[in-house]
Coordinates of all heavy atoms in Angstrom, one line a residue:
M106 N 148.4 50.3 146.8 CA 147.2 49.8 146.2 C 146.3 51.0 145.9 O 145.6 51.5 146.7 CB 146.6 48.7 147.1 CG 145.6 49.2 148.1 SD 144.9 47.8 149.0 CE 146.2 47.6 150.3
P107 N 146.3 51.4 144.6 CA 145.5 52.6 144.2 C 144.0 52.3 144.3 O 143.5 51.3 143.8 CB 145.9 52.8 142.8 CG 147.2 52.1 142.6 CD 147.2 51.0 143.6
T108 N 143.3 53.2 145.0 CA 141.8 53.1 145.0 C 141.3 53.9 143.8 O 141.6 55.0 143.6 CB 141.3 53.7 146.3 OG1 141.8 52.9 147.4 CG2 139.8 53.7 146.4
V109 N 140.4 53.2 143.1 CA 139.8 53.8 141.9 C 138.5 54.5 142.2 O 138.1 55.5 141.6 CB 139.7 52.8 140.7 CG1 139.1 53.4 139.5 CG2 141.1 52.2 140.4
L110 N 137.7 53.8 143.1 CA 136.4 54.3 143.4 C 135.9 53.7 144.7 O 136.3 52.6 145.1 CB 135.4 53.7 142.2 CG 134.0 54.0 142.3 CD1 133.7 55.4 142.0 CD2 133.2 53.1 141.3
I111 N 135.1 54.5 145.4 CA 134.4 54.0 146.6 C 132.9 54.3 146.3 O 132.5 55.4 146.1 CB 134.9 54.7 147.9 CG1 136.4 54.4 148.1 CG2 134.0 54.3 149.1 CD1 137.0 55.1 149.3
K112 N 132.1 53.2 146.4 CA 130.7 53.4 146.1 C 129.9 52.3 146.9 O 130.3 51.2 146.9 CB 130.4 53.3 144.6 CG 129.0 53.7 144.3 CD 128.9 53.9 142.8 CE 127.5 54.4 142.4 NZ 127.4 54.7 141.0
Y113 N 128.8 52.7 147.5 CA 128.0 51.8 148.3 C 128.8 51.1 149.4 O 128.4 50.0 149.8 CB 127.3 50.8 147.4 CG 126.5 51.4 146.3 CD1 126.7 50.9 145.0 CD2 125.5 52.3 146.6 CE1 125.9 51.5 144.0 CE2 124.7 52.8 145.5 CZ 124.9 52.4 144.3 OH 124.2 52.9 143.2
G114 N 129.8 51.7 149.9 CA 130.6 51.1 151.0 C 131.6 50.1 150.5 O 132.3 49.5 151.3
Y115 N 131.7 50.0 149.1 CA 132.7 49.1 148.5 C 133.9 49.9 148.1 O 133.7 51.0 147.5 CB 132.2 48.3 147.3 CG 130.9 47.5 147.6 CD1 129.8 47.7 146.8 CD2 130.9 46.6 148.6 CE1 128.7 47.0 147.1 CE2 129.8 45.8 148.8 CZ 128.6 46.0 148.0 OH 127.5 45.3 148.3
R116 N 135.1 49.4 148.3 CA 136.3 50.1 147.7 C 136.8 49.3 146.6 O 137.1 48.1 146.7 CB 137.4 50.1 148.8 CG 138.6 50.9 148.4 CD 139.6 51.1 149.5 NE 140.1 49.9 150.1 CZ 141.2 49.3 149.7 NH1 142.0 49.9 148.8 NH2 141.6 48.2 150.3
F117 N 136.9 49.9 145.4 CA 137.4 49.3 144.2 C 138.9 49.7 144.0 O 139.1 50.9 143.9 CB 136.5 49.7 143.0 CG 135.1 49.3 143.1 CD1 134.2 50.0 143.9 CD2 134.6 48.2 142.5 CE1 132.9 49.6 144.1 CE2 133.3 47.8 142.6 CZ 132.4 48.5 143.4
H118 N 139.7 48.7 143.9 CA 141.2 49.1 143.8 C 141.9 47.9 143.1 O 141.4 46.9 142.8 CB 141.7 49.2 145.2 CG 141.6 48.0 146.1 ND1 142.7 47.1 146.1 CD2 140.6 47.5 146.8 CE1 142.3 46.1 146.9 NE2 141.1 46.3 147.4
F119 N 143.2 48.2 142.9 CA 144.1 47.1 142.4 C 145.4 47.2 143.2 O 145.6 48.1 143.8 CB 144.3 47.1 140.9 CG 144.6 48.4 140.3 CD1 145.9 48.9 140.3 CD2 143.7 49.3 139.8 CE1 146.3 50.1 139.7 CE2 144.0 50.5 139.2 CZ 145.3 50.9 139.2
Y120 N 146.2 46.1 143.0 CA 147.4 46.0 143.7 C 148.6 46.3 142.7 O 148.5 45.9 141.5 CB 147.6 44.6 144.3 CG 146.7 44.4 145.5 CD1 145.6 43.5 145.2 CD2 146.8 44.9 146.7 CE1 144.7 43.2 146.3 CE2 145.9 44.6 147.7 CZ 144.9 43.8 147.5 OH 144.0 43.5 148.5
S121 N 149.6 46.9 143.2 CA 150.8 47.1 142.3 C 151.4 45.9 141.7 O 151.9 45.9 140.6 CB 151.8 48.0 143.0 OG 152.3 47.3 144.1
G122 N 151.2 44.7 142.4 CA 151.7 43.5 141.9 C 150.8 42.8 140.8 O 151.2 41.7 140.3
D123 N 149.7 43.4 140.5 CA 148.8 42.8 139.5 C 149.2 43.0 138.1 O 148.5 42.6 137.2 CB 147.4 43.5 139.7 CG 146.7 43.0 141.0 OD1 147.2 42.0 141.6 OD2 145.7 43.6 141.3
R124 N 150.3 43.7 137.8 CA 150.7 44.1 136.5 C 150.7 42.9 135.4 O 150.3 43.2 134.3 CB 152.2 44.6 136.6 CG 152.9 44.7 135.2 CD 154.3 45.1 135.4 NE 154.5 46.4 136.1 CZ 154.4 47.6 135.4 NH1 154.3 47.6 134.2 NH2 154.6 48.7 136.1
Y125 N 151.0 41.7 135.8 CA 151.1 40.7 134.8 C 149.8 39.8 134.7 O 149.8 38.8 134.0 CB 152.3 39.8 135.2 CG 153.6 40.6 135.2 CD1 154.2 40.9 136.4 CD2 154.1 41.0 134.0 CE1 155.3 41.7 136.4 CE2 155.2 41.8 134.0 CZ 155.9 42.1 135.2 OH 157.0 42.9 135.2
E126 N 148.7 40.3 135.3 CA 147.4 39.6 135.1 C 146.6 40.5 134.1 O 146.9 41.7 134.0 CB 146.7 39.5 136.4 CG 147.3 38.6 137.4 CD 146.5 38.4 138.6 OE1 145.3 38.0 138.5 OE2 147.0 38.6 139.7
P127 N 145.6 39.9 133.5 CA 144.7 40.7 132.7 C 144.0 41.8 133.6 O 143.9 41.6 134.8 CB 143.6 39.7 132.2 CG 144.3 38.4 132.3 CD 145.2 38.5 133.5
P128 N 143.5 42.9 133.0 CA 142.9 44.0 133.8 C 141.8 43.5 134.7 O 140.9 42.8 134.2 CB 142.4 45.0 132.7 CG 143.3 44.7 131.6 CD 143.6 43.2 131.6
H129 N 141.8 43.8 135.9 CA 140.8 43.5 136.9 C 140.7 44.5 138.0 O 141.6 45.3 138.1 CB 141.0 42.0 137.4 CG 142.3 41.9 138.2 ND1 143.5 41.7 137.5 CD2 142.6 42.0 139.5 CE1 144.5 41.6 138.5 NE2 143.9 41.8 139.7
I130 N 139.7 44.4 138.8 CA 139.6 45.2 140.0 C 139.3 44.4 141.2 O 138.6 43.4 141.1 CB 138.4 46.3 139.7 CG1 138.6 47.5 140.6 CG2 137.1 45.7 139.7 CD1 139.5 48.5 140.2
H131 N 139.9 44.8 142.3 CA 139.6 44.1 143.6 C 138.5 45.0 144.3 O 138.5 46.2 144.2 CB 140.8 44.0 144.4 CG 141.9 43.1 143.9 ND1 141.9 41.8 144.2 CD2 142.9 43.3 143.0 CE1 142.9 41.2 143.6 NE2 143.5 42.1 142.9
V132 N 137.7 44.3 145.1 CA 136.6 45.0 145.8 C 136.7 44.5 147.2 O 136.7 43.3 147.5 CB 135.2 44.7 145.2 CG1 134.2 45.5 145.9 CG2 135.2 44.9 143.7
D133 N 136.7 45.5 148.2 CA 136.6 45.2 149.6 C 135.4 45.9 150.2 O 135.0 47.0 149.8 CB 137.8 45.8 150.3 CG 139.1 45.2 149.9 OD1 139.1 44.0 149.4 OD2 140.2 45.9 150.1
G134 N 134.8 45.2 151.1 CA 133.6 45.8 151.8 C 133.1 44.9 152.9 O 133.0 43.7 152.6
D135 N 132.8 45.4 154.0 CA 132.3 44.6 155.2 C 133.1 43.4 155.5 O 132.6 42.3 155.8 CB 130.8 44.2 154.9 CG 129.9 45.3 154.8 OD1 130.1 46.3 155.5 OD2 128.9 45.3 154.0
G136 N 134.5 43.5 155.3 CA 135.4 42.4 155.6 C 135.4 41.3 154.5 O 136.1 40.3 154.7
N137 N 134.8 41.6 153.4 CA 134.7 40.6 152.3 C 135.6 41.1 151.2 O 135.9 42.3 151.1 CB 133.3 40.4 151.8 CG 132.4 39.9 152.9 OD1 132.7 39.0 153.6 ND2 131.2 40.5 153.0
E138 N 136.0 40.2 150.3 CA 136.8 40.6 149.1 C 136.4 39.9 147.9 O 135.9 38.8 148.0 CB 138.3 40.2 149.4 CG 138.9 40.9 150.5 CD 140.4 40.5 150.7 OE1 141.1 40.2 149.7 OE2 140.8 40.4 151.9
A139 N 136.5 40.6 146.7 CA 136.1 40.0 145.5 C 137.1 40.5 144.4 O 137.8 41.5 144.6 CB 134.7 40.3 145.0
K140 N 137.1 39.8 143.3 CA 138.0 40.2 142.2 C 137.1 40.1 140.9 O 136.5 39.0 140.7 CB 139.2 39.3 142.1 CG 140.1 39.6 140.9 CD 141.3 38.6 141.1 CE 142.2 38.6 139.9 NZ 143.3 37.6 140.1
V141 N 137.1 41.1 140.1 CA 136.3 41.1 138.9 C 137.1 41.4 137.7 O 137.9 42.4 137.7 CB 135.1 42.2 139.0 CG1 134.3 42.2 137.7 CG2 134.2 41.9 140.2
W142 N 137.1 40.6 136.7 CA 137.8 40.8 135.4 C 137.1 42.0 134.7 O 135.9 42.0 134.5 CB 137.8 39.6 134.5 CG 138.5 38.4 135.1 CD1 137.9 37.2 135.4 CD2 139.9 38.3 135.5 NE1 138.8 36.4 136.0 CE2 140.1 37.0 136.0 CE3 141.0 39.1 135.4 CZ2 141.3 36.5 136.5 CZ3 142.2 38.7 135.9 CH2 142.3 37.4 136.4
L143 N 137.9 43.0 134.2 CA 137.3 44.1 133.6 C 136.9 43.9 132.1 O 136.0 44.5 131.6 CB 138.2 45.3 133.6 CG 138.5 45.9 135.0 CD1 139.6 46.9 135.0 CD2 137.2 46.4 135.7
T144 N 137.5 42.9 131.5 CA 137.2 42.7 130.1 C 135.9 42.0 129.8 O 135.2 42.4 128.9 CB 138.3 41.8 129.4 OG1 138.5 40.6 130.2 CG2 139.6 42.5 129.3
D145 N 135.5 41.1 130.7 CA 134.2 40.4 130.5 C 133.3 40.5 131.7 O 132.2 39.8 131.7 CB 134.4 39.0 130.1 CG 135.1 38.2 131.1 OD1 135.4 38.7 132.2 OD2 135.4 37.0 130.9
L146 N 133.6 41.3 132.7 CA 132.8 41.6 133.9 C 132.4 40.3 134.6 O 131.3 40.1 135.1 CB 131.5 42.3 133.5 CG 131.7 43.7 132.9 CD1 130.4 44.3 132.5 CD2 132.4 44.6 133.9
R147 N 133.4 39.4 134.6 CA 133.2 38.1 135.3 C 133.8 38.1 136.7 O 135.0 38.6 136.8 CB 133.8 37.0 134.4 CG 133.5 35.6 134.8 CD 134.0 34.6 133.8 NE 135.3 34.9 133.3 CZ 136.5 34.4 133.8 NH1 136.5 33.7 134.9 NH2 137.6 34.8 133.2
V148 N 133.1 37.6 137.6 CA 133.7 37.5 139.0 C 134.7 36.4 139.0 O 134.4 35.2 138.7 CB 132.6 37.3 140.0 CG1 133.2 37.1 141.4 CG2 131.6 38.4 140.0
A149 N 135.9 36.7 139.4 CA 137.0 35.7 139.5 C 137.1 35.1 140.9 O 137.4 34.0 141.0 CB 138.4 36.4 139.1
E150 N 136.8 36.0 141.9 CA 136.9 35.5 143.3 C 135.7 36.3 144.0 O 135.5 37.4 143.7 CB 138.2 35.9 143.9 CG 139.4 35.2 143.3 CD 140.7 35.7 143.8 OE1 140.8 36.4 144.9 OE2 141.7 35.4 143.2
A151 N 135.1 35.6 145.0 CA 134.0 36.2 145.7 C 134.0 35.9 147.1 O 133.1 35.3 147.7 CB 132.7 35.6 145.0
G152 N 135.1 36.2 147.8 CA 135.3 35.9 149.2 C 134.4 36.5 150.2 O 134.6 37.5 150.7
G153 N 133.2 35.8 150.4 CA 132.3 36.2 151.5 C 131.2 37.1 151.0 O 130.2 37.2 151.8
F154 N 131.2 37.6 149.8 CA 130.0 38.4 149.4 C 128.8 37.5 149.0 O 129.0 36.5 148.5 CB 130.4 39.3 148.2 CG 131.2 40.5 148.4 CD1 132.6 40.5 148.0 CD2 130.7 41.5 149.1 CE1 133.4 41.6 148.3 CE2 131.5 42.7 149.4 CZ 132.8 42.7 149.0
S155 N 127.6 38.0 149.3 CA 126.4 37.3 148.9 C 126.2 37.5 147.4 O 126.8 38.4 146.8 CB 125.2 37.9 149.7 OG 124.9 39.2 149.2
Q156 N 125.3 36.7 146.8 CA 125.0 36.9 145.4 C 124.4 38.2 145.1 O 124.7 38.8 144.1 CB 124.1 35.7 145.0 CG 124.7 34.4 144.9 CD 125.9 34.4 143.9 OE1 125.8 34.8 142.8 NE2 127.0 33.8 144.4
R157 N 123.6 38.7 146.0 CA 123.1 40.1 145.9 C 124.2 41.1 145.8 O 124.1 42.0 145.0 CB 122.1 40.3 147.0 CG 121.4 41.7 147.0 CD 120.3 41.8 148.1 NE 120.0 43.1 148.3 CZ 120.0 43.7 149.5 NH1 120.2 43.0 150.6 NH2 119.7 45.0 149.6
D158 N 125.1 41.0 146.7 CA 126.2 42.0 146.8 C 127.0 41.9 145.5 O 127.4 42.9 144.9 CB 127.2 41.7 148.0 CG 126.6 42.1 149.3 OD1 125.7 42.9 149.3 OD2 127.0 41.5 150.3
L159 N 127.3 40.6 145.0 CA 128.1 40.5 143.8 C 127.4 41.1 142.6 O 128.0 41.6 141.7 CB 128.4 39.0 143.6 CG 129.4 38.4 144.6 CD1 129.4 36.9 144.4 CD2 130.8 39.0 144.4
K160 N 126.1 40.9 142.6 CA 125.3 41.5 141.5 C 125.5 43.0 141.4 O 125.7 43.6 140.4 CB 123.8 41.2 141.6 CG 123.0 41.7 140.4 CD 121.6 41.3 140.6 CE 120.8 41.7 139.4 NZ 119.7 42.6 139.6
R161 N 125.4 43.6 142.6 CA 125.6 45.1 142.7 C 127.0 45.5 142.4 O 127.2 46.5 141.7 CB 125.2 45.6 144.1 CG 125.2 47.1 144.3 CD 124.7 47.5 145.6 NE 123.9 48.6 145.5 CZ 123.4 49.3 146.5 NH1 123.6 48.9 147.7 NH2 122.7 50.4 146.3
I162 N 128.0 44.7 142.8 CA 129.4 45.0 142.5 C 129.6 45.0 141.0 O 130.2 45.9 140.4 CB 130.3 44.0 143.3 CG1 130.3 44.4 144.7 CG2 131.7 44.0 142.7 CD1 130.9 43.3 145.6
V163 N 129.1 43.9 140.3 CA 129.3 43.8 138.9 C 128.6 45.0 138.2 O 129.1 45.5 137.2 CB 128.8 42.5 138.4 CG1 128.8 42.4 136.9 CG2 129.7 41.4 138.9
E164 N 127.4 45.4 138.7 CA 126.7 46.6 138.1 C 127.6 47.8 138.2 O 127.7 48.6 137.3 CB 125.4 46.8 138.8 CG 124.4 45.8 138.4 CD 123.1 45.8 139.2 OE1 123.0 46.7 140.2 OE2 122.1 45.1 138.9
V165 N 128.2 48.0 139.4 CA 129.1 49.2 139.6 C 130.3 49.1 138.6 O 130.7 50.1 138.0 CB 129.5 49.3 141.0 CG1 130.6 50.4 141.2 CG2 128.3 49.6 141.9
V166 N 130.9 47.9 138.5 CA 132.1 47.8 137.7 C 131.7 48.1 136.2 O 132.4 48.8 135.5 CB 132.7 46.4 137.8 CG1 133.8 46.2 136.8 CG2 133.3 46.2 139.2
A167 N 130.5 47.6 135.8 CA 130.0 47.8 134.4 C 129.8 49.3 134.2 O 130.2 49.9 133.2 CB 128.7 47.1 134.2
E168 N 129.3 50.0 135.2 CA 129.0 51.4 135.1 C 130.3 52.2 135.0 O 130.4 53.3 134.3 CB 128.2 51.9 136.3 CG 127.9 53.4 136.3 CD 127.1 53.8 137.5 OE1 126.7 52.9 138.3 OE2 126.9 55.0 137.7
H169 N 131.3 51.8 135.7 CA 132.6 52.5 135.8 C 133.8 51.8 135.1 O 134.9 52.1 135.3 CB 132.9 52.8 137.2 CG 131.9 53.7 137.9 ND1 131.9 55.0 137.9 CD2 130.9 53.3 138.7 CE1 130.9 55.5 138.6 NE2 130.3 54.5 139.1
R170 N 133.5 50.9 134.2 CA 134.5 50.1 133.6 C 135.5 50.9 132.9 O 136.7 50.7 133.0 CB 133.9 49.0 132.7 CG 135.0 48.2 132.0 CD 134.5 46.9 131.4 NE 133.4 47.1 130.6 CZ 132.9 46.1 129.8 NH1 133.5 44.9 129.8 NH2 131.9 46.3 129.1
Q171 N 135.1 51.9 132.1 CA 136.0 52.7 131.3 C 137.0 53.4 132.3 O 138.2 53.4 132.0 CB 135.2 53.7 130.5 CG 136.1 54.6 129.6 CD 136.9 53.7 128.5 OE1 136.3 52.8 128.0 NE2 138.1 54.1 128.3
Q172 N 136.5 54.0 133.3 CA 137.3 54.7 134.3 C 138.3 53.7 135.0 O 139.5 54.0 135.1 CB 136.4 55.3 135.4 CG 137.2 55.8 136.6 CD 136.3 56.2 137.8 OE1 135.0 56.1 137.7 NE2 136.9 56.6 138.9
M173 N 137.9 52.5 135.2 CA 138.8 51.5 135.9 C 139.8 51.0 134.9 O 141.0 50.8 135.3 CB 137.9 50.3 136.4 CG 137.0 50.7 137.5 SD 135.9 49.4 138.0 CE 135.0 50.2 139.4
M174 N 139.4 50.8 133.6 CA 140.4 50.4 132.6 C 141.5 51.5 132.4 O 142.6 51.2 132.3 CB 139.7 50.1 131.3 CG 138.9 48.8 131.3 SD 139.9 47.3 131.4 CE 140.4 47.2 129.7
E175 N 141.0 52.8 132.4 CA 142.0 53.9 132.2 C 142.9 53.9 133.4 O 144.1 54.1 133.2 CB 141.2 55.2 132.0 CG 140.5 55.3 130.7 CD 139.7 56.6 130.6 OE1 139.7 57.4 131.5 OE2 139.0 56.7 129.6
A176 N 142.4 53.8 134.6 CA 143.3 53.8 135.8 C 144.3 52.7 135.7 O 145.4 52.8 136.1 CB 142.4 53.7 137.1
W177 N 143.8 51.5 135.3 CA 144.7 50.3 135.2 C 145.8 50.6 134.2 O 147.0 50.5 134.5 CB 143.9 49.1 134.7 CG 144.7 47.9 134.5 CD1 145.4 47.6 133.4 CD2 144.9 46.8 135.4 NE1 146.1 46.4 133.5 CE2 145.8 45.9 134.7 CE3 144.5 46.5 136.7 CZ2 146.2 44.7 135.4 CZ3 144.9 45.4 137.3 CH2 145.7 44.5 136.6
H178 N 145.5 51.1 133.0 CA 146.5 51.3 132.0 C 147.4 52.5 132.4 O 148.6 52.4 132.1 CB 145.8 51.5 130.6 CG 145.2 50.3 130.1 ND1 146.0 49.1 129.8 CD2 143.9 49.9 129.8 CE1 145.2 48.2 129.3 NE2 143.9 48.6 129.4
D179 N 146.9 53.5 133.0 CA 147.7 54.6 133.4 C 148.7 54.2 134.5 O 149.9 54.6 134.4 CB 146.8 55.8 134.0 CG 146.1 56.5 133.0 OD1 146.3 56.4 131.7 OD2 145.2 57.3 133.4
Y180 N 148.3 53.3 135.4 CA 149.1 52.9 136.5 C 150.2 52.0 136.0 O 151.4 52.1 136.4 CB 148.3 52.2 137.6 CG 149.1 52.0 138.8 CD1 149.4 52.9 139.8 CD2 149.6 50.7 139.1 CE1 150.2 52.7 140.9 CE2 150.4 50.4 140.2 CZ 150.6 51.4 141.1 OH 151.4 51.2 142.2
F181 N 149.9 51.1 135.1 CA 150.8 50.0 134.7 C 151.5 50.4 133.4 O 152.3 49.6 132.9 CB 150.1 48.7 134.6 CG 149.7 48.1 135.9 CD1 148.3 47.9 136.2 CD2 150.6 47.8 136.9 CE1 148.0 47.4 137.4 CE2 150.2 47.3 138.1 CZ 148.9 47.1 138.4
A182 N 151.3 51.6 132.9 CA 152.0 52.0 131.6 C 153.5 52.2 131.9 O 154.0 52.4 132.9 CB 151.4 53.3 131.1

């Protein structure tokens, strides 16, 4: 599971088995997990994160989306 970024205590990564899904990033932090679609910055899963945390997570994904998309395409190419 390649880690793309660690910021604000959140780990942004994807799983090798994610190949057949649209580009997305998984986020772990404080025992919680989320999944964010990279194409439209929509939260797909929000396991345990508060709305405040999710807002911050989406902001980080938006800021680093290009890097995350490149990592996705490089890994699954």
Side-chain angles (χ1 to χ4, degrees):
M106 93 178 83
T108 298
V109 179
L110 177 71
I111 297 175
K112 189 167 186 175
Y113 303 127
Y115 304 126
R116 183 171 64 95
F117 297 81
H118 63 93
F119 49 85
Y120 294 103
S121 58
D123 289 346
R124 166 183 300 273
Y125 300 107
E126 292 187 55
H129 62 276
I130 199 83
H131 292 270
V132 186
D133 295 336
D135 294 328
N137 303 313
E138 297 180 35
K140 177 178 171 181
V141 179
W142 299 116
L143 293 175
T144 52
D145 61 4
L146 299 175
R147 190 171 43 88
V148 176
E150 298 173 15
F154 284 113
S155 69
Q156 288 301 312
R157 181 174 160 229
D158 289 335
L159 290 171
K160 182 177 184 239
R161 186 173 219 186
I162 287 166
V163 170
E164 288 172 353
V165 171
V166 173
E168 179 182 353
H169 297 277
R170 178 165 49 174
Q171 184 64 37
Q172 172 190 353
M173 292 174 181
M174 288 291 280
E175 288 174 7
W177 177 277
H178 291 296
D179 287 349
Y180 188 80
F181 291 117

